[in-house]
Amino acid sequence: MSIVFVKENFFPLEIYNFIVKEILSVEYSPPPKWSGEQYQGNYWNTHTLPKGCELQTKMKELVAEHFYFKDDFSYIDSWYTMVGASDQPRPHIDESWGATHQLLIYMHGEESRNNGTGFYHVTDDDQLELSYHIGFKKNRAVFYTSDVYHAPLQWAGGGSFRYSIANFLKKSS
């Protein structure tokens, strides 16, 4: 079953401000070459968080608190991301990572609809069509299942680079 949930003010303000300072000061790397080929260009840069870090522990607690997701899960990857997909939509799902759920937390950038994320459905003729969008707002978290097609919305205009935390999660059996 595909789900998408949104939570405003995901982090307590003190933690949010600390992370924003860090997210703006770390070095970012482009994604691997294969991903640029798969997604028809590189539109994001990442800074990988260490597995089991304090921030992952805090996010896990907040997912349980805000989304009532009591199932235990493990982190596959967590990244600080700097995204600016301004040329075309690139809808994709993240099941191939082994993830069952995603947690995307918007951290820093221009607050606008087109700086957020679009979610797509498959039409009767097997095309992807934009179903709904969630605009970028600082400290907004989007929690969804990995079978949901999604893509940054900067391509629609009126967006800018945005900094987020992307988490690939696997529900324990």
Side-chain angles (χ1 to χ4, degrees):
M1 177 173 78
S2 301
I3 59 166
V4 177
F5 294 110
V6 177
K7 171 65 176 137
E8 306 296 332
N9 302 312
F10 182 76
F11 289 113
L13 189 56
E14 179 180 306
I15 294 172
Y16 169 79
N17 287 333
F18 176 83
I19 296 169
V20 168
K21 286 179 186 172
E22 183 174 89
I23 212 168
L24 294 174
S25 66
V26 298
E27 289 189 32
Y28 289 84
S29 301
K33 183 179 178 184
W34 66 262
S35 66
E37 293 165 357
Q38 179 179 344
Y39 297 114
Q40 302 159 348
N42 293 331
Y43 60 87
W44 74 93
N45 293 285
T46 62
H47 174 85
T48 303
L49 298 174
K51 289 192 189 305
C53 68
E54 189 177 331
L55 180 54
Q56 283 185 338
T57 301
K58 185 63 178 175
M59 289 185 292
K60 189 173 185 175
E61 291 169 9
L62 291 172
V63 165
E65 178 184 330
H66 295 316
F67 300 113
Y68 309 105
F69 190 76
K70 303 298 184 197
D71 293 327
D72 195 27
F73 59 85
S74 57
Y75 282 91
I76 295 170
D77 275 313
S78 294
W79 303 332
Y80 289 158
T81 63
M82 180 176 62
V83 174
S86 60
D87 59 341
Q88 65 182 2
R90 293 179 172 92
H92 62 281
I93 56 175
D94 293 316
E95 290 177 311
S96 64
W97 288 86
T100 58
H101 294 78
Q102 308 296 117
L103 173 64
L104 178 63
I105 309 159
Y106 300 137
M107 298 301 293
H108 182 75
E110 181 182 328
E111 292 190 357
S112 76
R113 175 184 53 215
N114 291 349
N115 224 21
T117 305
F119 293 89
Y120 297 77
H121 69 275
V122 179
T123 64
D124 290 338
D125 58 349
D126 289 327
Q127 300 296 311
L128 290 176
E129 184 175 276
L130 183 64
S131 297
Y132 51 95
H133 52 79
I134 297 172
F136 181 96
K137 184 176 180 194
K138 296 171 186 169
N139 205 13
R140 174 181 281 168
V142 186
F143 182 67
Y144 53 98
T145 52
S146 296
D147 61 345
V148 177
Y149 281 91
H150 60 282
L153 282 174
Q154 288 100 335
W155 62 268
S160 65
F161 271 94
R162 71 172 194 217
Y163 294 84
S164 303
I165 305 172
N167 297 276
F168 300 82
L169 311 169
K170 182 173 183 163
K171 182 177 169 181
S172 298
S173 300

PDB file of all heavy atoms in Angstrom, residues 4-15:
ATOM      1  N   VAL A   4       1.857   8.484   1.768  1.00  0.00           N
ATOM      2  CA  VAL A   4       2.678   9.687   1.893  1.00  0.00           C
ATOM      3  C   VAL A   4       2.107  10.477   3.076  1.00  0.00           C
ATOM      4  O   VAL A   4       0.910  10.763   3.113  1.00  0.00           O
ATOM      5  CB  VAL A   4       2.643  10.566   0.623  1.00  0.00           C
ATOM      6  CG1 VAL A   4       3.452  11.833   0.818  1.00  0.00           C
ATOM      7  CG2 VAL A   4       3.142   9.792  -0.594  1.00  0.00           C
ATOM      8  N   PHE A   5       2.980  10.795   4.036  1.00  0.00           N
ATOM      9  CA  PHE A   5       2.590  11.600   5.187  1.00  0.00           C
ATOM     10  C   PHE A   5       3.493  12.821   5.267  1.00  0.00           C
ATOM     11  O   PHE A   5       4.663  12.750   4.897  1.00  0.00           O
ATOM     12  CB  PHE A   5       2.739  10.814   6.506  1.00  0.00           C
ATOM     13  CG  PHE A   5       1.810   9.647   6.633  1.00  0.00           C
ATOM     14  CD1 PHE A   5       2.308   8.367   6.576  1.00  0.00           C
ATOM     15  CD2 PHE A   5       0.447   9.829   6.822  1.00  0.00           C
ATOM     16  CE1 PHE A   5       1.464   7.264   6.706  1.00  0.00           C
ATOM     17  CE2 PHE A   5      -0.397   8.740   6.952  1.00  0.00           C
ATOM     18  CZ  PHE A   5       0.110   7.453   6.891  1.00  0.00           C
ATOM     19  N   VAL A   6       2.963  13.920   5.805  1.00  0.00           N
ATOM     20  CA  VAL A   6       3.724  15.158   5.936  1.00  0.00           C
ATOM     21  C   VAL A   6       3.635  15.632   7.378  1.00  0.00           C
ATOM     22  O   VAL A   6       2.563  15.575   7.993  1.00  0.00           O
ATOM     23  CB  VAL A   6       3.170  16.251   4.996  1.00  0.00           C
ATOM     24  CG1 VAL A   6       3.913  17.565   5.173  1.00  0.00           C
ATOM     25  CG2 VAL A   6       3.236  15.785   3.547  1.00  0.00           C
ATOM     26  N   LYS A   7       4.752  16.128   7.903  1.00  0.00           N
ATOM     27  CA  LYS A   7       4.788  16.673   9.262  1.00  0.00           C
ATOM     28  C   LYS A   7       5.545  17.993   9.250  1.00  0.00           C
ATOM     29  O   LYS A   7       6.697  18.051   8.834  1.00  0.00           O
ATOM     30  CB  LYS A   7       5.471  15.676  10.212  1.00  0.00           C
ATOM     31  CG  LYS A   7       5.761  16.215  11.603  1.00  0.00           C
ATOM     32  CD  LYS A   7       4.497  16.518  12.358  1.00  0.00           C
ATOM     33  CE  LYS A   7       4.840  16.965  13.786  1.00  0.00           C
ATOM     34  NZ  LYS A   7       4.076  18.076  14.224  1.00  0.00           N
ATOM     35  N   GLU A   8       4.889  19.047   9.701  1.00  0.00           N
ATOM     36  CA  GLU A   8       5.543  20.339   9.856  1.00  0.00           C
ATOM     37  C   GLU A   8       6.368  20.318  11.140  1.00  0.00           C
ATOM     38  O   GLU A   8       6.018  19.610  12.090  1.00  0.00           O
ATOM     39  CB  GLU A   8       4.505  21.459   9.942  1.00  0.00           C
ATOM     40  CG  GLU A   8       3.510  21.493   8.795  1.00  0.00           C
ATOM     41  CD  GLU A   8       4.133  21.777   7.445  1.00  0.00           C
ATOM     42  OE1 GLU A   8       5.177  22.441   7.376  1.00  0.00           O
ATOM     43  OE2 GLU A   8       3.561  21.315   6.436  1.00  0.00           O
ATOM     44  N   ASN A   9       7.422  21.123  11.197  1.00  0.00           N
ATOM     45  CA  ASN A   9       8.248  21.255  12.406  1.00  0.00           C
ATOM     46  C   ASN A   9       8.679  19.892  12.941  1.00  0.00           C
ATOM     47  O   ASN A   9       8.474  19.555  14.108  1.00  0.00           O
ATOM     48  CB  ASN A   9       7.507  22.056  13.475  1.00  0.00           C
ATOM     49  CG  ASN A   9       7.138  23.426  12.955  1.00  0.00           C
ATOM     50  OD1 ASN A   9       7.968  24.123  12.371  1.00  0.00           O
ATOM     51  ND2 ASN A   9       5.888  23.802  13.118  1.00  0.00           N
ATOM     52  N   PHE A  10       9.299  19.125  12.080  1.00  0.00           N
ATOM     53  CA  PHE A  10       9.723  17.763  12.424  1.00  0.00           C
ATOM     54  C   PHE A  10      10.716  17.755  13.581  1.00  0.00           C
ATOM     55  O   PHE A  10      10.550  17.021  14.542  1.00  0.00           O
ATOM     56  CB  PHE A  10      10.325  17.101  11.181  1.00  0.00           C
ATOM     57  CG  PHE A  10      10.758  15.684  11.391  1.00  0.00           C
ATOM     58  CD1 PHE A  10       9.823  14.665  11.458  1.00  0.00           C
ATOM     59  CD2 PHE A  10      12.100  15.355  11.506  1.00  0.00           C
ATOM     60  CE1 PHE A  10      10.209  13.342  11.645  1.00  0.00           C
ATOM     61  CE2 PHE A  10      12.506  14.042  11.694  1.00  0.00           C
ATOM     62  CZ  PHE A  10      11.561  13.038  11.762  1.00  0.00           C
ATOM     63  N   PHE A  11      11.763  18.559  13.468  1.00  0.00           N
ATOM     64  CA  PHE A  11      12.764  18.639  14.529  1.00  0.00           C
ATOM     65  C   PHE A  11      12.403  19.746  15.515  1.00  0.00           C
ATOM     66  O   PHE A  11      11.889  20.793  15.102  1.00  0.00           O
ATOM     67  CB  PHE A  11      14.146  18.997  13.963  1.00  0.00           C
ATOM     68  CG  PHE A  11      14.805  17.906  13.170  1.00  0.00           C
ATOM     69  CD1 PHE A  11      15.008  18.063  11.808  1.00  0.00           C
ATOM     70  CD2 PHE A  11      15.255  16.741  13.783  1.00  0.00           C
ATOM     71  CE1 PHE A  11      15.638  17.074  11.069  1.00  0.00           C
ATOM     72  CE2 PHE A  11      15.880  15.753  13.054  1.00  0.00           C
ATOM     73  CZ  PHE A  11      16.073  15.909  11.684  1.00  0.00           C
ATOM     74  N   PRO A  12      12.723  19.552  16.790  1.00  0.00           N
ATOM     75  CA  PRO A  12      12.663  20.698  17.709  1.00  0.00           C
ATOM     76  C   PRO A  12      13.596  21.789  17.175  1.00  0.00           C
ATOM     77  O   PRO A  12      14.623  21.502  16.551  1.00  0.00           O
ATOM     78  CB  PRO A  12      13.178  20.125  19.035  1.00  0.00           C
ATOM     79  CG  PRO A  12      12.957  18.651  18.928  1.00  0.00           C
ATOM     80  CD  PRO A  12      13.114  18.318  17.463  1.00  0.00           C
ATOM     81  N   LEU A  13      13.244  23.041  17.388  1.00  0.00           N
ATOM     82  CA  LEU A  13      13.959  24.171  16.787  1.00  0.00           C
ATOM     83  C   LEU A  13      15.462  24.157  17.072  1.00  0.00           C
ATOM     84  O   LEU A  13      16.263  24.427  16.179  1.00  0.00           O
ATOM     85  CB  LEU A  13      13.335  25.489  17.251  1.00  0.00           C
ATOM     86  CG  LEU A  13      13.830  26.743  16.550  1.00  0.00           C
ATOM     87  CD1 LEU A  13      13.645  26.651  15.034  1.00  0.00           C
ATOM     88  CD2 LEU A  13      13.106  27.966  17.093  1.00  0.00           C
ATOM     89  N   GLU A  14      15.856  23.838  18.265  1.00  0.00           N
ATOM     90  CA  GLU A  14      17.280  23.829  18.624  1.00  0.00           C
ATOM     91  C   GLU A  14      18.051  22.805  17.774  1.00  0.00           C
ATOM     92  O   GLU A  14      19.133  23.093  17.272  1.00  0.00           O
ATOM     93  CB  GLU A  14      17.424  23.499  20.114  1.00  0.00           C
ATOM     94  CG  GLU A  14      18.848  23.433  20.604  1.00  0.00           C
ATOM     95  CD  GLU A  14      18.894  23.099  22.092  1.00  0.00           C
ATOM     96  OE1 GLU A  14      18.255  23.808  22.880  1.00  0.00           O
ATOM     97  OE2 GLU A  14      19.578  22.122  22.437  1.00  0.00           O
ATOM     98  N   ILE A  15      17.479  21.627  17.594  1.00  0.00           N
ATOM     99  CA  ILE A  15      18.128  20.589  16.780  1.00  0.00           C
ATOM    100  C   ILE A  15      18.123  21.012  15.318  1.00  0.00           C
ATOM    101  O   ILE A  15      19.123  20.868  14.615  1.00  0.00           O
ATOM    102  CB  ILE A  15      17.430  19.228  16.984  1.00  0.00           C
ATOM    103  CG1 ILE A  15      17.635  18.756  18.420  1.00  0.00           C
ATOM    104  CG2 ILE A  15      17.936  18.198  15.982  1.00  0.00           C
ATOM    105  CD1 ILE A  15      16.829  17.526  18.786  1.00  0.00           C
TER     106      ILE A  15
END
